[in-house]
Amino acid sequence: MIKRIPLYVKILAGLAIGIFVGIIAVITNSGGFIIDYVKPFGTIFLNLLKLIAIPLIFTSLVSGIAGLSNIKKFSTLGVQTFVLYIVTTVIAVCIGLGLVNLIRPGDYFSEGKRSEMMAKYGQSISIDEKNVQNLGHRSPLQFLVDMVPENIVDAASSNTSMLQIIVFAVLFGLALISINEQFSEPVKKFIVGLNEVILKIVDFIMLIAPIGVLALMAGLIVDVIGKDAAEGIQLFVSLGLYFLTVLVGIFIIIILIYPSILRIFVKVSFRQFYKAIFPAQLVAFSTSSSAATLPVTMEQVEKELGIDREITSFVLPLGVTINMDGTSLYQAIASIFIAQVMGIDLSLSQMLTVLIMAVMASIGSAGVPGAGMVMLIVILNSIGIPAEGLALIIAIDRPLDMFRTVVNVTGDAMIATLLGKNRKIT
Ligand code: ASP
């Protein structure tokens, strides 16, 4: 009976129960129990997803390339993916800039509240600032240098180095189809077999997804509002308009932009697309990490939307690292909001700088929780706003991170669907 319930319903139930359990625990003062006995299951689920991400990227990408008939097909796919990712990111930033200038949430923020928040959260910013300080002195081509690992074991040891794994896997795959069949055949067979094993592990992990999501949500509720619920509510009241501005942007992208692109170019309906990727969206929401969600996104796009592994194995991991529409929308809104609160009027050329920097920063952000906010410092620096301004938004960053990660994952799945369904392109 339970077997017949669709996966997304089970995960949605897990999410709802997790929120419910978390709230009850906060009300009854039993948050300690949740942290000690429920949250660990969420951490196990998250670790399993992270554990499988790198082997999945490597084996899928190499077996995808091994199945290609020629190298030219691959380079065309590479260029198209990159261009589409940049175009959607620019659209997202423009929506963000439009909304934040229209709604002007910063204008409703009182002077007193501003000093209070700066005093309270100001210290935590310096650590983040140190992390990005070096970025200021880097060559504009540093991102190219960063893409090439100097040691593959090092690169594979962190889920933030996915781009390096992609580069190695592409090199490996291309070399594999360029050598004599006598040598390539056994290696191909081994990697294709290994890929099947990894995909089976993803199936196993998905079996516990509803429980994992439940535990993550319950733990998160206790962590976030458990400490001081009254303060939490107060924060939401004062930052409500900023929060709402980001949410409106997110809904415009999810409900209007992505479905329109799919409908116009590949005739995939709203229902068909969202039904397929809803489980990935729910996992993205509860983990705040598009990198951790990757195994689920790949599984759903392949199985439910019927997109070839050849496409998903390249387009989706690349998307996790360079395509972050939700993050770039948020970065545009957050930076202008901070400027508005600080009473700094930005010129048109500064707005343009925000646009360019938000596109670059979202490419540079890793698909892990909070990465978008750290990269926001780079944008603030570029328009002369002190990084301390981050203190104004840091307290409600986690819930926004959950929403923007959903957009990031959806954007990757949308482009994979677009390229996969439009065979003429590939
Ligand atoms: N958490 C986001 C992701 O994983 C990145 C960010 O905006 O912080 O996609």
Side-chain angles (χ1 to χ4, degrees), residues 288-291 324 327 330 365-373 401 404-405 408:
S288 282
S289 168
S290 34
M324 298 201 171
T327 300
Y330 147 83
S365 309
V368 295
M373 193 187 68
D401 196 1
R404 63 185 189 247
T405 308
N408 293 346

Side-chain angles (χ1 to χ4, degrees), residues 305-316:
L305 288 161
I307 306 301
D308 281 352
R309 192 166 306 161
E310 218 173 68
I311 306 264
T312 56
S313 64
F314 175 70
V315 176
L316 293 174

Side-chain angles (χ1 to χ4, degrees), residues 14 46 48 64 103 133 199 273 283 285 310 318 379 385 425:
L46 190 59
L48 284 171
I103 303 174
Q133 235 163 28
L199 288 169
F273 179 67
V283 173
F285 187 75
E310 218 173 68
L318 191 70
I379 306 180
I385 297 175
I425 290 183

Side-chain angles (χ1 to χ4, degrees), residues 51-352:
L51 166 76
I52 213 66
I54 300 277
L56 179 67
I57 295 178
F58 184 76
T59 57
S60 306
L61 196 44
V62 174
S63 42
I65 297 176
L68 283 176
S69 41
N70 63 54
I71 296 182
K72 190 167 174 299
K73 206 168 153 189
F74 184 72
S75 56
T76 319
L77 176 67
V79 173
Q80 284 164 342
T81 309
F82 191 74
V83 170
L84 288 170
Y85 277 160
I86 298 294
V87 170
T88 48
T89 306
V90 171
I91 295 176
V93 177
C94 290
I95 292 173
L97 286 177
L99 283 173
V100 74
N101 280 301
L102 194 78
I103 303 174
R104 298 195 63 85
D107 291 357
Y108 302 88
F109 206 80
S110 75
E111 185 76 42
K113 194 86 213 149
R114 184 182 106 187
S115 335
E116 188 191 315
M117 306 260 290
M118 299 288 272
K120 199 154 176 197
Y121 301 102
Q123 291 110 325
S124 40
I125 310 301
S126 55
I127 307 158
D128 284 341
E129 200 179 2
K130 259 192 220 125
N131 286 342
V132 285
Q133 235 163 28
N134 293 339
L135 292 176
H137 313 292
R138 286 153 49 114
S139 143
L141 296 184
Q142 187 61 36
F143 75 99
L144 279 180
V145 177
D146 290 343
M147 277 167 60
V148 185
E150 60 179 80
N151 183 311
I152 192 60
V153 181
D154 261 359
S157 71
S158 151
N159 280 355
T160 54
S161 320
M162 278 189 183
L163 207 51
Q164 300 192 339
I165 300 296
I166 295 173
V167 168
F168 180 67
V170 170
L171 271 178
F172 193 98
L174 292 180
L176 194 62
I177 52 175
S178 313
I179 59 175
N180 195 306
E181 256 186 36
Q182 174 198 354
F183 303 113
S184 65
E185 256 338 285
V187 182
K188 268 188 204 170
K189 277 205 180 117
F190 174 70
I191 293 194
V192 170
L194 199 59
N195 188 228
E196 287 301 318
V197 173
I198 304 285
L199 288 169
K200 199 62 196 166
I201 299 180
V202 175
D203 283 345
F204 292 156
I205 300 173
M206 288 314 289
L207 290 177
I208 61 153
I211 293 168
V213 167
L214 184 158
L216 281 172
M217 286 312 294
L220 204 69
I221 297 275
V222 171
D223 272 343
V224 175
I225 59 169
K227 287 185 201 104
D228 192 345
E231 189 194 329
I233 294 169
Q234 236 228 319
L235 270 170
F236 267 100
V237 171
S238 40
L239 287 163
L241 203 54
Y242 156 69
F243 195 86
L244 217 71
T245 311
V246 179
L247 276 197
V248 171
I250 279 171
F251 282 107
I252 291 180
I253 295 179
I254 296 258
I255 293 179
L256 223 73
I257 307 291
Y258 292 161
S260 311
I261 296 178
L262 286 178
R263 189 147 253 319
I264 295 169
F265 294 104
V266 283
K267 311 258 175 307
V268 170
S269 75
F270 183 95
R271 211 183 121 78
Q272 198 185 352
F273 179 67
Y274 282 111
K275 202 169 158 228
I277 61 145
F278 198 44
Q281 291 181 313
L282 293 172
V283 173
F285 187 75
S286 44
T287 60
S288 282
S289 168
S290 34
T293 312
L294 180 68
V296 188
T297 321
M298 280 177 85
E299 169 130 332
Q300 292 306 113
V301 174
E302 270 175 37
K303 283 197 183 154
E304 303 295 323
L305 288 161
I307 306 301
D308 281 352
R309 192 166 306 161
E310 218 173 68
I311 306 264
T312 56
S313 64
F314 175 70
V315 176
L316 293 174
L318 191 70
V320 164
T321 43
I322 69 165
N323 183 49
M324 298 201 171
D325 299 346
T327 300
S328 56
L329 166 104
Y330 147 83
Q331 285 170 333
I333 295 176
S335 51
I336 308 289
F337 169 73
I338 293 171
Q340 287 169 352
V341 174
M342 294 192 151
I344 303 171
D345 252 333
L346 297 178
S347 65
L348 205 64
S349 77
Q350 277 173 311
M351 292 278 180
L352 207 68

